[in-house]
């Protein structure tokens, strides 16, 4: 199954969970707000299968539910 991910930057509180759990997917801007760095937070690049577990762990650990995961590209 294909998955796409991005961060809701409006609700991100810069806690660091996503970047610590899946640094291959998420990074932080100068203000500490997370984003999906592979596609500049657009949610239009399929996440590699080997990264699914880390992606879901990041989502589960996010206290503000800012890690977004969908089965379709963001439009």
């Amino acid at each position: 199954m294909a998955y796409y991910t991005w961060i809701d930057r409006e609700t991100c509180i810069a806690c660091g969970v996503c970047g610590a759990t899946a640094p291959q997917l998420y990074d932080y801007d100068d203000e500490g707000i997370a984003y999906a760095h592979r596609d500049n937070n657009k949610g239009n690049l399929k996440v590699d299968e080997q990264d699914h577990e880390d992606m879901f762990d990041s989502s589960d650990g996010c206290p503000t539910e800012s890690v977004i995961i969908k089965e379709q590209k963001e439009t």
Side-chain angles (χ1 to χ4, degrees):
M1 178 163 297
Y3 290 105
Y4 302 85
T5 187
W6 64 95
I7 302 293
D8 180 344
R9 293 174 50 83
E10 297 292 320
T11 60
C12 177
I13 60 170
C15 72
V17 169
C18 61
T21 307
Q24 71 277 27
L25 299 175
Y26 309 108
D27 202 355
Y28 305 96
D29 66 15
D30 292 338
E31 297 169 2
I33 303 299
Y35 67 98
H37 64 80
R38 295 172 55 241
D39 64 359
N40 201 25
N41 210 52
K42 292 184 174 33
N44 59 16
L45 284 179
K46 184 173 80 167
V47 175
D48 294 332
E49 191 170 329
Q50 71 260 16
D51 295 329
H52 286 183
E53 183 176 352
D54 289 346
M55 176 185 66
F56 283 111
D57 286 349
S58 293
S59 178
D60 291 344
C62 180
T64 59
E65 299 180 354
S66 298
V67 178
I68 309 300
I69 301 169
K70 300 275 180 153
E71 293 179 11
Q72 297 178 2
K73 293 180 186 182
E74 180 67 358
T75 57

